[in-house]
Amino acid sequence: MNKKFGIKEVVATGIGTALFVVLTTVQIPIGIPNTYLQPRMAVMAFLSAIFGPIVGAIIGLVGHALGDAIFYGSIWWSWVIPDAIVGLLIGIFYKKYMVREGEFEAQKIIIFNVMQLIGNAVAWILLAPVLDILVYAEPKDKVFVQGIYAFLGNFIIIGALGTILLIAYSKVAGRSKGLSKEDDE
Amino acid sequence: MEPIIEFKNFCFQYDSQTEPTLLDINLKIYPKERVLIVGPSGSGKSTLAHCINALNPCSRPGKTMGTLKVDGVDPAKAGVFGMSRIVGTVLQDTDGQFIGLTVAEDIAFALENDAVLQESMKRRVDEVSELIEMKPFLKHSPTALSGGQKQRVSMGGVLVDDVKILLFDEPLANLDPSTGKNAISLIEEIGQKRDVTVLIIEHRLEDALYRDVDRIIVVGEGRIVYDGTPADLLCSNILNEQGIREPLYLTAIKHAGCEVSPEDHPESITKMNLSPYRDALRNWYEHTETVPKRIHKNEVLSVSDLCFSYKPEEPVLKNISFTIYEGEMLSLVGKNGAGKTTLSSLILGFIAPTSGEIKLLERDITPLSVKERGEKIGLVMQSPNQMISKPMIRDEVALGLKVRGIPEEEINKRVEKVLKICGLWPFRNWPVGALSFGQKKRVSIASILVLEPKILILDEPTAGQDYRHYTEIMEFLKELNQTMGLTIVMITHDMHLMLEYTDRAIVLSDGELIADDHPAKILTDKEICERAYLKETSLYELSVKCGIEEADSFVERFISFERENRKWADD
Amino acid sequence: MGRRLISYEEKDTWIHRLSGFTKLFFFLLWCVTSALTFDTRVLIVMLIAGVAIFISSKTTWKQVGGVFQAILLFMVLNLLFIFIFSPYEGTGIYGTWTEVCKLPFGVKLTAEQLFYEFNVMLKYFTVVPSVFIFLVTTDPSEFAASLNAIGVPYSIAYSVAITLRYIPDVQDDFSRIRNAQAARGIEMGKKANIFDRIRRTANIIFPLLFSTMERIDTVSNAMELRGFGKKKKRTWYAGKKLSIPDYIVIVSSLLFMIAALLFTWMDGNRFYNPFI
C-alpha cells in the first residue's frame, strides 16, 4: 500500500492523537494567569513534519476535539478547526525536512519554522477569531487579543520544543556516517 | 509429500545493509511439521521468518536470490496481504499486536479487513475464542488482560483466517515462566487441532522444548548450521558455538563428566533416560562444594510493614517487610500484577504508602522528595529508549548532574569516570542512535550511576535479550556489584537470572511477600513456584530423578560450580 | 490524574441501545444548530431538551461532575473577558440602550449586555449535554464504525479506533517515563524561566516520542500482517445496525434542526431581540 495515507500513516495518526490527548494536561505556565504553553502542539508539529499534512491535520482535529471533550466536557469547534490547519500547513513540506534520514539541519529548520509561523498566523490570528465572531458573535477586540496570545504561545512552543524534538530525533534515528571509536584521552 | 515451505539457494540482503543477511539457504518444511528455529540475535532467524510472511522484501525492501515457495507461491510476489491468508504470524509484542478495543474485535480484525459480513464474523469469532479458551473474555479490553491472555488473543487473531502455517516470533519473550509453559502447550494443541504447520522462532531453547518438536533448525551468521532432530543437536557442540543456551539439566550432566547420547532422549527431562548418568551425577554432587556466601552487614534499605492501596478494600501490598544489605545482588520476582512495580514506586516515592516505613541507611525517607531519593536509589527502566533524552551519549550521561546545577568541571570528571567504568568511553561523542541495544542499556545505566547511588533498581534488565546479550548485561552488572560494591536489585521473571546472578530472591504474590530466600530454594519449592507463576528449574527434576534428596543444595552447588567455572573461563 | 475523566459506561437505556451512528449524527447536528442560532428561545429549548435526554441516559453526577466544574470556571472567565473587552457589545447587537446601573471606572452595565452574555452562555451550555451523552453512552468500539458510516474513509475512521485503543497505554508510558526522569532529577520545574522549562519538558517528552515511534512501527507491521487496507471496503464487528428507534431519532433531529433554524431566521437575523 504505497498510497499517501497508508498503514503507517493510519497508525501514526491514531497513536499520535492518543499522545496528543494524553499530553492535554501537560501545560507550561508562562507567568500570565490562565495562559499556558501546550507541549502537545509541539508533538503534533513533530508528527506532521515526519508523516505529512494529513496526519498532522487529523491529529490536530481529532486530538483537540477529543481532548476538549474528555477533559473539559465540551468542544470549542472554533478552536479545533484552526488546530487542524496548523497541523496541515506544517506537514506540507514534510518530504523536504528529511527528519528520519538524519538531515534535519539549518535550512530545513528554517523552512519548518517559516511553515509553522504561517500556519499559526493563519490559524490563530485569522481563522479562530473569525470563527468565534461568526459562531458566538464575540467582541472583535477580545477574540483578536486571544488569537494573538494563542499565536504567540503556539509559535513559541512549536518553534522551541518542536524544533528541539525534531533535531534530537533526527540525530538519533538517522544513520550515522563516519563514526570511529576514540581511544583513551 | 510436497514441502509446504521450500527455500532453494536462497539469499536475502536488505537495501539498507552492505552484506547479505541470509546466505545460501536450502530448507524444506513439510505440512503439519512442528519446527523450532533457533539462533542468536542478528543470526538472521527473524529475517528468514519475515521472508516467509513477505514482510521482507515487501515492507522492508531488499534483494533476493534463489527461490522461495510457500504453499506453492512466491511470497515476494503475493505480498503481505496475499501471504496473510496462508501464514499467520504472531509477533512477540503482545501489546503492539492487540489492535482491537476488545478481545472480540481483535480476533475479528482480519475478517473486518476482508469485509466479511457481521453475522458470519460473529460466528467465526465465537468458534475461535473457544479454541483459544477466551470465550468468557470477549468483551474485555486489553488493559484487563494478562500477558498470556493477550498472546492467546493474538493467536486467535491469525487463526480466524484458516491459515496453513502458524509462525511464532519469540512467543516466550514477554511471558513469565509458567505462562510461557502454557503458551507452548497451547501452540502444540492448536497445531494438532487445526492440522497446521507450526514454526516457532525462539532463543529460549529449554522452555521451547517443553513440548516435542519434529525438527530444530539452527541459524548462525545467515546460514543454516543445523537441521535435524532435537536429540542430535543437544548432543553436539553447535549450541555452544552459536551462543545458544542448552537446557540446564544437560549442563549439569556435562559438569559431572558425562557425554550425553541421543538415544536417551535428552530433549526432555521428563522423558530422558537418566540411568547412565545417575552415578556420575551423585558422585559429582557429593564432591562439589558450595562457595561460602558473602556476608553482608550494613543495612542499605529496609522496609517494614509496608502497605499500599488505592481503595481500602483492595490492598495492593500487604505488610511487606525486608532488609537489603550493602553489596547484595538480589532479585524481586512474582507474576505481573503481584506488586513488584508498586513496591519500587513506593521506594522511589512516586506514590506514598498507606502505612509502614521505608528506611535508607537507617533513616526514614518519608521527608525526601522523588529527586532526593533518586540520588541515592537509582532506577533503570526496562527499555533504554524510555530513558534517553539526549541524542549524544556524553550529554545523556551528564544530564542528571546538569539539572542539579553541579559545576561543569566536576560534571566532566564524573561523566568520564562513569563512561570508562561502563566501557562507553570510546563512544563518548557518538549519537545514541548508532549504538546497539546492549550499549544503549549501558548508557541508561551510566546516566544513573553518575549520580553515585547507593542502590540500583533495574526493571527487567534482560527482557527480550538472547543469551549473548543477556550474559553481556549481567556480567557488567556483576562487575559493578563486585568492584564498586554497588547494591543491585533486579525486578525480573527470568529464572536463569535469579539463579545465576543473585544470592537472594524476594517473591511477591498478590501483594504479599511469600518468600525471601536463596533462589535455589525457591525454584525447588513447588508451592512457591506455583503461587508466583514461576516454574521449577529442570535441575530440580534432575536431582529428584537421580535420587538426590536435597534438591536445593544440588541446585546451589551447580550454580556455584558454574560461577567458579565462568571465572576460570574469564581469566 | 486527579480529576475523573468522562468515559463510556455500559448501561441499558434507550440511548445506550441506539446505534453509534445515530448518536454521532445527532451530536453533529446539535453542534451545528447551536453554532448557527442565537435565538434565546431556541437555545432554551435546546438546553432543556439536552438536559432531559441527559437525565434519561441515567448518567450519574459522579461520571461528569468533575468535568462540569471545569466548564463552569471557563464560562465565568470567558464572560468576564467579553465584558472587559467590550462592555457595550450587546447594545450594538440589539440596537437599544437600557442602563441597569453604573459600575466603577465610568463603565455602565446595560440590560442588552447582560442579555447578550446570557445568550453566549446558553450557546456554550447547549453543547455540553450532547457531549456528555455522546461520550458516556457510546461504546468506543462503535465509534470508528459510526464515523465510517457517516462517510469518513475507513482508514481515517480506524485511526480514531487506534487512538481510543492506545490512550491507556500511552498514558501508562507517560507516567512511567515522567516518574523515572523525576528520580533522575529531570522535572518540568516551576521555578525556572520559560526556555528552561521548555528544555526540561523536552527531556521528558523526547523518550515518550521515541517509544511512540517504535510503537507505530510494531502496530503497523501487525496490522499489515492481518490484512488492513487490502480492500476498498471494510466491515465492523462492533457496528450496530439501525433499528426503528434510530430512524425516529435521525428524522426527528433533522426536523428539529430545520424547525429551529427557520424559527431563528423568521425575523430576518439569528438574534432574538426582546428590546424592541
Side-chain angles (χ1 to χ4, degrees):
Chain A
M1 209 159 126
N2 268 331
K3 283 180 284 173
K4 262 200 185 137
F5 203 72
I7 295 183
K8 263 264 152 71
E9 284 72 23
V10 171
V11 178
T13 308
I15 297 186
T17 308
L19 189 54
F20 187 94
V21 172
V22 166
L23 292 180
T24 298
T25 48
V26 179
Q27 299 179 321
I28 305 176
I30 53 172
I32 304 167
N34 249 302
T35 317
Y36 303 94
L37 298 179
Q38 301 192 332
R40 65 178 191 172
M41 291 298 285
V43 167
M44 176 186 76
F46 175 93
L47 293 163
S48 182
I50 290 179
F51 294 102
I54 306 178
V55 174
I58 304 175
I59 293 178
L61 184 81
V62 180
H64 194 140
L66 203 61
D68 270 4
I70 61 179
F71 287 100
Y72 307 110
S74 192
I75 296 179
W76 288 274
W77 292 105
S78 50
W79 286 60
V80 169
I81 293 159
D83 221 338
I85 298 295
V86 179
L88 184 83
L89 288 176
I90 290 175
I92 284 181
F93 295 120
Y94 77 109
K95 284 197 176 133
K96 287 218 171 81
Y97 301 147
M98 311 252 279
V99 178
R100 274 188 291 190
E101 286 76 14
E103 289 169 29
F104 188 70
E105 283 150 8
Q107 188 205 353
K108 286 143 192 156
I109 296 174
I110 294 169
I111 303 177
F112 169 76
N113 277 294
V114 169
M115 287 314 290
Q116 71 104 345
L117 176 77
I118 297 172
N120 277 312
V122 170
W124 311 115
I125 305 183
L126 201 70
L127 196 57
V130 168
L131 285 173
D132 266 344
I133 292 170
L134 286 178
V135 175
Y136 298 107
E138 292 209 356
K140 275 194 207 86
D141 294 352
K142 174 196 176 246
V143 292
F144 281 108
V145 168
Q146 268 180 343
I148 286 168
Y149 267 112
F151 164 75
L152 285 175
N154 289 322
F155 175 67
I156 291 171
I157 194 75
I158 297 178
L161 186 57
T163 310
I164 293 177
L165 293 173
L166 281 165
I167 293 175
Y169 185 73
S170 195
K171 275 191 196 155
V172 174
R175 291 270 150 244
S176 330
K177 293 149 251 153
L179 288 174
S180 55
K181 290 190 201 174
E182 298 165 60
D183 290 329
D184 297 323
E185 303 340 309
Chain B
M1 199 167 28
E2 280 285 300
I4 190 163
I5 299 172
E6 187 173 13
F7 287 89
K8 262 192 203 155
N9 305 322
F10 186 85
C11 301
F12 182 83
Q13 181 177 345
Y14 289 109
D15 285 347
S16 56
Q17 285 177 8
T18 49
E19 298 283 314
T21 305
L22 293 177
L23 276 165
D24 203 27
I25 302 285
N26 281 294
L27 175 65
K28 285 179 187 163
I29 291 166
Y30 294 92
K32 295 174 202 172
E33 260 194 306
R34 288 167 46 76
V35 178
L36 179 61
I37 303 176
V38 296
S41 305
S43 63
K45 63 179 190 307
S46 296
T47 305
L48 185 81
H50 289 167
C51 286
I52 297 173
N53 62 26
L55 274 182
N56 297 331
C58 299
S59 240
R60 289 190 62 191
K63 277 187 285 295
T64 56
M65 278 186 355
T67 57
L68 165 61
K69 283 265 177 319
V70 177
D71 197 32
V73 300
D74 176 0
K77 289 206 183 89
V80 179
F81 293 159
M83 292 317 290
S84 69
R85 288 171 178 274
I86 306 169
V87 185
T89 311
V90 177
L91 302 170
Q92 62 164 289
D93 180 346
T94 45
D95 277 308
Q97 178 145 9
F98 201 124
I99 301 155
L101 279 155
T102 59
V103 170
E105 284 167 85
D106 193 63
I107 296 175
F109 186 73
L111 301 175
E112 292 181 328
N113 296 329
D114 232 349
V116 172
L117 291 177
Q118 211 180 37
E119 292 79 50
S120 51
M121 191 146 63
K122 296 215 156 146
R123 210 170 332 115
R124 296 262 285 281
V125 168
D126 278 353
E127 270 167 38
V128 169
S129 61
E130 212 143 331
L131 180 70
I132 54 166
E133 296 164 20
M134 288 295 288
K135 189 105 187 254
F137 304 95
L138 280 180
K139 283 190 150 185
H140 285 220
S141 72
T143 37
L145 301 178
S146 69
Q149 288 174 319
K150 282 183 212 164
Q151 195 182 52
R152 278 166 192 262
V153 176
S154 303
M155 284 187 217
V158 299
L159 285 167
V160 277
D161 243 352
D162 272 331
V163 289
K164 294 180 179 160
I165 300 166
L166 280 178
L167 180 64
F168 292 90
D169 192 357
E170 311 232 351
L172 301 173
N174 294 313
L175 302 181
D176 50 53
S178 95
T179 312
K181 205 165 88 172
N182 294 336
I184 292 290
S185 314
L186 185 70
I187 291 173
E188 191 198 27
E189 268 167 46
I190 286 175
Q192 284 167 350
K193 276 192 205 154
R194 284 293 185 98
D195 276 343
V196 290
T197 311
V198 176
L199 300 183
I200 304 170
I201 299 165
E202 191 46 79
H203 61 256
R204 298 208 211 168
L205 185 60
E206 181 174 343
D207 297 326
L209 284 175
Y210 174 65
R211 288 290 174 92
D212 289 339
V213 297
D214 298 315
R215 208 145 46 105
I216 295 191
I217 288 156
V218 182
V219 185
E221 291 178 14
R223 292 173 194 274
I224 291 182
V225 294
Y226 178 85
D227 177 356
T229 64
D232 286 330
L233 175 68
L234 294 172
C235 299
S236 73
N237 203 27
I238 293 169
L239 292 176
N240 268 336
E241 286 161 14
Q242 296 299 328
I244 302 163
R245 160 171 298 216
E246 66 185 354
L248 274 187
Y249 55 90
L250 292 180
T251 313
I253 292 173
K254 287 177 186 171
H255 284 334
C258 303
E259 183 104 1
V260 184
S261 145
E263 287 88 63
D264 296 320
H265 294 293
E267 70 273 14
S268 153
I269 178 71
T270 328
K271 283 191 210 149
M272 190 170 178
N273 169 26
L274 287 169
S275 50
Y277 317 108
R278 190 170 290 136
D279 293 337
L281 268 166
R282 292 176 68 152
N283 189 34
W284 173 84
Y285 169 67
E286 275 149 27
H287 292 89
T288 306
E289 276 170 40
T290 320
V291 181
K293 277 180 209 146
R294 285 188 283 164
I295 296 165
H296 306 282
K297 276 188 295 193
N298 304 327
E299 271 186 28
V300 178
L301 186 82
S302 88
V303 167
S304 49
D305 273 322
L306 197 64
C307 297
F308 178 78
S309 62
Y310 292 101
K311 292 179 203 158
E313 64 278 14
E314 291 166 31
V316 183
L317 284 181
K318 296 170 230 170
N319 300 81
I320 306 288
S321 303
F322 59 84
T323 301
I324 296 173
Y325 298 93
E326 195 178 342
E328 268 195 306
M329 193 149 163
L330 63 87
S331 41
L332 179 59
V333 298
K335 66 167 174 172
N336 294 336
K340 295 174 293 183
T341 312
T342 310
L343 181 56
S344 70
S345 298
L346 285 169
I347 293 173
L348 282 146
F350 304 149
I351 44 179
T354 316
S355 65
E357 197 180 34
I358 304 170
K359 279 181 175 170
L360 183 73
L361 301 173
E362 305 190 24
R363 266 209 215 127
D364 184 14
I365 58 171
T366 314
L368 299 185
S369 69
V370 170
K371 190 174 170 180
E372 287 163 329
R373 293 186 199 197
E375 284 162 20
K376 302 184 176 88
I377 308 164
L379 174 70
V380 180
M381 296 176 81
Q382 181 176 336
S383 159
N385 293 339
Q386 293 182 316
M387 296 190 73
I388 293 175
S389 303
K390 294 282 174 197
M392 306 309 277
I393 292 168
R394 195 200 280 261
D395 298 341
E396 175 63 24
V397 176
L399 187 60
L401 297 177
K402 272 219 174 109
V403 296
R404 287 182 164 78
I406 287 166
E408 198 72 25
E409 226 170 281
E410 160 125 29
I411 292 182
N412 287 340
K413 225 190 291 162
R414 277 163 77 173
V415 169
E416 181 179 333
K417 188 174 145 210
V418 166
L419 284 176
K420 282 184 175 160
I421 292 174
C422 297
L424 291 166
W425 183 242
F427 311 102
R428 58 192 178 276
N429 293 318
W430 282 28
V432 177
L435 300 180
S436 71
F437 185 90
Q439 288 168 327
K440 276 192 205 166
K441 185 97 204 170
R442 281 179 189 231
V443 172
S444 64
I445 294 173
S447 66
I448 298 299
L449 282 183
V450 82
L451 302 174
E452 295 171 359
K454 294 277 171 229
I455 176 168
L456 201 58
I457 300 179
L458 297 109
D459 190 6
E460 296 286 358
T462 57
Q465 299 304 299
D466 70 1
Y467 187 41
R468 193 181 297 164
H469 291 130
Y470 158 90
T471 312
E472 189 191 308
I473 294 168
M474 289 315 299
E475 286 298 314
F476 168 63
L477 289 173
K478 197 170 103 184
E479 206 182 296
L480 290 180
N481 173 256
Q482 287 174 351
T483 56
M484 298 169 62
L486 187 67
T487 312
I488 296 179
V489 178
M490 287 168 289
I491 300 173
T492 183
H493 48 229
D494 186 328
M495 297 176 10
H496 289 308
L497 189 160
M498 273 172 77
L499 264 182
E500 289 179 321
Y501 290 96
T502 66
D503 293 323
R504 182 178 160 201
I506 293 174
V507 186
L508 294 183
S509 167
D510 298 323
E512 279 175 84
L513 193 156
I514 58 166
D516 179 353
D517 208 334
H518 193 281
K521 285 235 169 56
I522 286 166
L523 291 174
T524 50
D525 184 323
K526 199 168 185 171
E527 199 214 316
I528 290 176
C529 282
E530 256 168 36
R531 284 176 66 189
Y533 280 58
L534 295 165
K535 200 176 70 174
E536 289 151 81
T537 161
S538 57
L539 295 171
Y540 170 74
E541 202 165 339
L542 178 70
S543 62
V544 171
K545 281 184 139 186
C546 289
I548 298 166
E549 270 168 33
E550 286 96 12
D552 56 325
S553 101
F554 176 77
V555 175
E556 233 173 293
R557 286 180 201 188
F558 172 81
I559 294 300
S560 30
F561 185 83
E562 278 267 285
R563 288 184 190 168
E564 283 299 294
N565 261 17
R566 203 175 308 127
K567 245 188 234 162
W568 271 91
D570 287 349
D571 299 339
Chain C
M1 208 138 305
R3 193 143 54 84
R4 198 192 148 95
L5 301 180
I6 305 184
S7 59
Y8 170 67
E9 261 178 48
E10 206 177 330
K11 277 179 191 159
D12 192 31
T13 72
W14 67 277
I15 298 174
H16 286 80
R17 279 191 297 270
L18 287 175
S19 150
F21 169 77
T22 311
K23 281 176 268 193
L24 185 62
F25 183 81
F26 166 80
F27 169 67
L28 291 175
L29 281 193
W30 203 254
C31 284
V32 171
T33 314
S34 137
L36 291 174
T37 184
F38 228 105
D39 190 306
T40 320
R41 294 159 300 180
V42 173
L43 289 171
I44 288 178
V45 170
M46 284 178 78
L47 184 62
I48 292 170
V51 171
I53 301 172
F54 174 74
I55 290 169
S56 75
S57 75
K58 292 193 181 145
T59 305
T60 55
W61 185 245
K62 220 173 75 189
Q63 280 170 271
V64 296
V67 169
F68 192 75
Q69 286 167 7
I71 304 177
L72 270 186
L73 180 71
F74 170 84
M75 282 305 309
V76 170
L77 282 174
N78 196 49
L79 293 176
L80 209 66
F81 276 130
I82 291 180
F83 190 81
I84 292 168
F85 275 95
S86 184
Y88 309 118
E89 194 72 19
T91 55
I93 289 171
Y94 297 108
T96 53
W97 181 288
T98 320
E99 199 174 308
V100 177
C101 64
K102 287 192 170 48
L103 296 173
F105 308 109
V107 180
K108 289 163 188 123
L109 183 65
T110 64
E112 286 80 3
Q113 181 72 9
L114 283 174
F115 188 66
Y116 156 69
E117 296 211 10
F118 172 67
N119 278 282
V120 171
M121 188 185 76
L122 273 181
K123 258 170 93 87
Y124 278 116
F125 274 128
T126 48
V127 181
V128 175
S130 70
V131 175
F132 282 175
I133 293 164
F134 185 71
L135 288 178
V136 172
T137 68
T138 312
D139 187 340
S141 301
E142 248 196 280
F143 193 79
S146 316
L147 279 175
N148 191 208
I150 59 164
V152 176
Y154 80 72
S155 55
I156 292 178
Y158 203 81
S159 77
V160 179
I162 295 176
T163 301
L164 299 173
R165 155 71 183 90
Y166 283 103
I167 283 177
D169 290 36
V170 172
Q171 177 79 55
D172 244 33
D173 272 0
F174 176 54
S175 47
R176 252 184 300 157
I177 289 172
R178 191 178 42 186
N179 281 341
Q181 297 293 63
R184 262 173 93 187
I186 302 162
E187 295 157 310
M188 302 215 181
K190 290 176 192 100
K191 287 170 203 135
N193 69 43
I194 296 181
F195 286 95
D196 254 359
R197 278 185 207 162
I198 292 178
R199 215 171 301 137
R200 289 181 187 183
T201 310
N203 290 333
I204 294 165
I205 291 186
F206 185 72
L208 182 62
L209 256 183
F210 199 76
S211 328
T212 304
M213 296 296 280
E214 280 188 332
R215 199 190 282 273
I216 290 173
D217 279 338
T218 322
V219 175
S220 10
N221 264 347
M223 282 172 59
E224 193 173 11
L225 282 170
R226 284 155 78 192
F228 183 82
K230 72 173 158 190
K231 292 204 170 164
K232 289 226 163 79
K233 259 183 63 187
R234 184 177 199 281
T235 48
W236 305 86
Y237 180 87
K240 257 191 216 161
K241 289 222 177 69
L242 299 186
S243 54
I244 294 168
D246 288 292
Y247 290 111
I248 296 174
V249 172
I250 290 170
V251 170
S252 45
S253 47
L254 253 181
L255 288 178
F256 176 79
M257 173 172 160
I258 294 166
L261 294 183
L262 283 177
F263 186 76
T264 304
W265 263 277
M266 234 160 34
D267 46 6
N269 65 46
R270 63 201 289 226
F271 300 101
Y272 165 65
N273 194 338
F275 297 100
I276 312 172

